[in-house]
Amino acid sequence: MNYWDLDRLGRVRLSENFFFREFLHSEVGNFFGIPNIPDDPKLAIETGSKLCQEILEPLQKEYGRIHIRSGYRSSHLNAFCHHRGLGCASNEKNFARHIWDKRDAQGSMGATACIVLPSFLTKFERTGNLTPLVRFINDNLPHSELMFFKQQCAFNIGVKAC
């Protein structure tokens, strides 16, 4: 992939409010100079579109702007992050999760993003109560994964498909 291919990929609209470029940012990749570029852009676009349309758009409609902490990860970047103990699971565990362009061992495709909902974070900092958010997600979104982190009430949310 050359620069212009990457530029075009970043401009792909995954849903009404999300473009692929938002999911390519990686602090690890930037700091260590590791490109975060899909091997299979077509599959990454397909899975990223599903994540954005079915999960992120309804969340944004309900809670306002979404801050993306981590989205797509290339296999190379994820492996580097995992081996350095920088908070990434192994590639095998992240296929069809953060590694959108590889199917998992069952042949499923999927995508995961780690996000923060600034409007919910403000409420959570006052109350410490995740229940309203968890209830909304469980009642309204076809998610395959939901995992919360302590820092900034960030959470992984994902979607799978065959």
Side-chain angles (χ1 to χ4, degrees):
M1 180 175 287
N2 64 40
Y3 168 78
W4 296 111
D5 292 336
L6 181 59
D7 181 67
R8 279 189 292 280
L9 177 63
R11 294 174 191 277
V12 170
R13 194 173 195 171
L14 300 175
S15 68
E16 181 180 350
N17 293 293
F18 295 96
F19 292 83
F20 204 104
R21 176 173 280 127
E22 298 169 77
F23 298 92
L24 292 173
H25 173 77
S26 167
E27 283 134 354
V28 172
N30 289 346
F31 186 82
F32 291 101
I34 301 169
N36 191 31
I37 301 169
D39 293 326
D40 185 347
K42 184 178 176 183
L43 182 57
I45 290 167
E46 185 177 355
T47 57
S49 294
K50 185 172 180 60
L51 174 69
C52 290
Q53 292 166 16
E54 296 182 11
I55 303 291
L56 300 184
E57 288 289 352
L59 271 173
Q60 185 158 284
K61 184 176 181 183
E62 184 72 15
Y63 289 98
R65 188 183 77 79
I66 290 175
H67 172 67
I68 299 166
R69 290 284 309 133
S70 179
Y72 169 80
R73 286 189 213 134
S74 71
S75 296
H76 179 69
L77 177 63
N78 190 81
F80 178 87
C81 187
H82 175 69
H83 292 301
R84 291 278 181 111
L86 299 174
C88 297
S90 69
N91 279 5
E92 291 73 23
K93 289 182 181 176
N94 263 328
F95 290 154
R97 293 181 66 232
H98 280 291
I99 303 173
W100 300 359
D101 61 332
K102 304 282 187 206
R103 292 179 179 268
D104 65 16
Q106 292 73 41
S108 297
M109 63 180 205
T112 294
C114 182
I115 64 172
V116 173
L117 302 172
S119 68
F120 186 79
L121 175 60
T122 301
K123 292 174 191 168
F124 179 76
E125 289 172 337
R126 282 195 322 266
T127 67
N129 186 3
L130 286 173
T131 303
L133 176 59
V134 172
R135 187 174 293 132
F136 174 81
I137 291 170
N138 286 336
D139 290 349
N140 297 286
L141 305 178
H143 65 288
S144 60
E145 172 181 1
L146 184 62
M147 180 171 61
F148 284 86
F149 303 100
K150 291 179 183 178
Q151 193 170 23
Q152 292 185 314
C153 195
F155 60 98
N156 277 356
I157 189 161
V159 65
K160 290 254 182 149
C162 294

